């Protein structure tokens, strides 16, 4: 239900910070999402260290958007680090791009999550205008999940209706970006991605526990009245 985004931690003072963060939040989370800042700062060694700290899934949010061969090579570099999935943009299309990425994913076991819509306002300028095509592409490519924004729950509801139940929805935008914990889950998301609300807290473990508690309360309210 809760995926922590480590971008890296905002309050990071020393490398030890990641160890402290993971030890504090691990029991409350379903997985971790690491971004390009994490990779640039800590490298593949950092991902391997994170892998040793947790058994939960790790998503590499590289927002891949390239020709298939380059995306495939990138995933092969990540495959031996313990990463479980990568995030890619949908707008690159299937032929010569996502088709190759998905084939590599089958060989390496690194799943693919596609960006169907984003949490910032500018997503409406271009990305959201193509949401139908992106959702169809997610089904055609057989990806494991999509990203849809907690900041616009109507987009999550639309995606859930169109996708049915088999593709997971990962939803960022909780906390600092304005959405309430649990609101995306109520709209049909499987996971809420939360970064700074937890990583920027003095006590990340306590922050994660609180987010989880609010998620559960809201979720049980919207499902059982
Ligand atoms: P935060 O909870 O601190 O706002 O972080 C949100 C995380 O989700 C960041 O890692 C960001 O890269 C990611 N994200 C997002 O905010 N909006 C999107 O549409 C897609 C994302 O991956």
């Amino acid at each position: 239900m809760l995926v922590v985004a480590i971008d890296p931690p905002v309050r990071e003072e020393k490398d030890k910070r990641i160890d402290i963060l993971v030890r504090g939040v691990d029991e409350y989370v379903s997985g971790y999402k690491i971004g390009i800042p994490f990779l640039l700062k800590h490298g593949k060694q950092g991902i391997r260290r994170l892998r040793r700290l947790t058994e939960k899934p790790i998503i590499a949010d590289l927002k891949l958007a390239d020709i298939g061969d380059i995306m495939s090579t990138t995933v092969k570099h990540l495959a031996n680090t313990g990463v479980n999935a990568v995030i890619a943009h949908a707008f690159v299309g299937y032929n010569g791009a996502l088709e190759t990425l998905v084939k590599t994913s089958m060989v390496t076991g690194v799943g693919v999550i596609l960006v169907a819509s984003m949490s910032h306002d500018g997503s409406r300028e271009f990305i959201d205008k193509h949401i139908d095509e992106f959702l169809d592409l997610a089904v055609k490519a057989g990806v494991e999940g999509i990203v849809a924004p907690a900041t616009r729950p109507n987009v999550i509801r639309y995606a859930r209706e169109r996708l049915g139940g088999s593709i997971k929805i990962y939803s960022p935008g909780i906390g600092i970006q304005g959405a309430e914990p649990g609101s995306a889950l109520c709209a049909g998301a499987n996971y809420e991605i939360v970064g700074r609300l937890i990583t920027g807290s003095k006590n990340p473990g306590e922050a994660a526990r609180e987010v989880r508690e609010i998620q559960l309360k809201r979720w049980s309210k919207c499902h059982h009245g």
Side-chain angles (χ1 to χ4, degrees), residues 48-157:
R48 289 198 186 97
R49 197 161 112 237
L50 178 60
R51 179 73 293 161
R52 287 194 294 275
L53 290 168
T54 180
E55 291 180 355
K56 305 277 171 74
I58 301 171
I59 299 165
D61 181 6
L62 303 183
K63 302 230 169 50
L64 296 171
D66 213 321
I67 56 169
D69 193 52
I70 303 302
M71 294 198 288
S72 164
T73 306
T74 308
V75 168
K76 284 177 191 159
H77 275 296
L78 285 175
N80 62 358
T81 60
V83 156
N84 302 89
V86 286
I87 297 183
H89 272 297
F91 62 73
V92 291
Y94 189 72
N95 293 333
L98 293 174
E99 180 182 23
T100 316
L101 178 63
V102 166
K103 275 187 190 147
T104 305
S105 147
M106 284 170 188
V107 177
T108 57
V110 176
V112 176
I113 297 167
L114 283 187
V115 177
S117 171
M118 293 188 72
S119 58
H120 64 299
D121 255 3
S123 184
R124 295 180 225 242
E125 292 170 25
F126 304 109
I127 299 180
D128 287 17
K129 291 183 178 151
H130 298 277
I131 188 152
D132 287 338
E133 285 116 304
F134 293 162
L135 295 173
D136 289 349
L137 187 54
V139 173
K140 176 177 175 175
V143 296
E144 78 169 52
I146 63 146
V147 175
T151 46
R152 292 198 299 290
N154 58 321
V155 176
I156 301 174
R157 273 191 284 274

Side-chain angles (χ1 to χ4, degrees), residues 5 7 33 61 63 87 117-120 147 172-174 176-177 193-197:
D7 282 312
K33 182 178 85 69
D61 181 6
K63 302 230 169 50
I87 297 183
S117 171
M118 293 188 72
S119 58
H120 64 299
V147 175
I174 304 286
I176 307 283
Q177 296 185 54
I193 296 172
V194 182
R196 292 162 292 174
L197 189 64

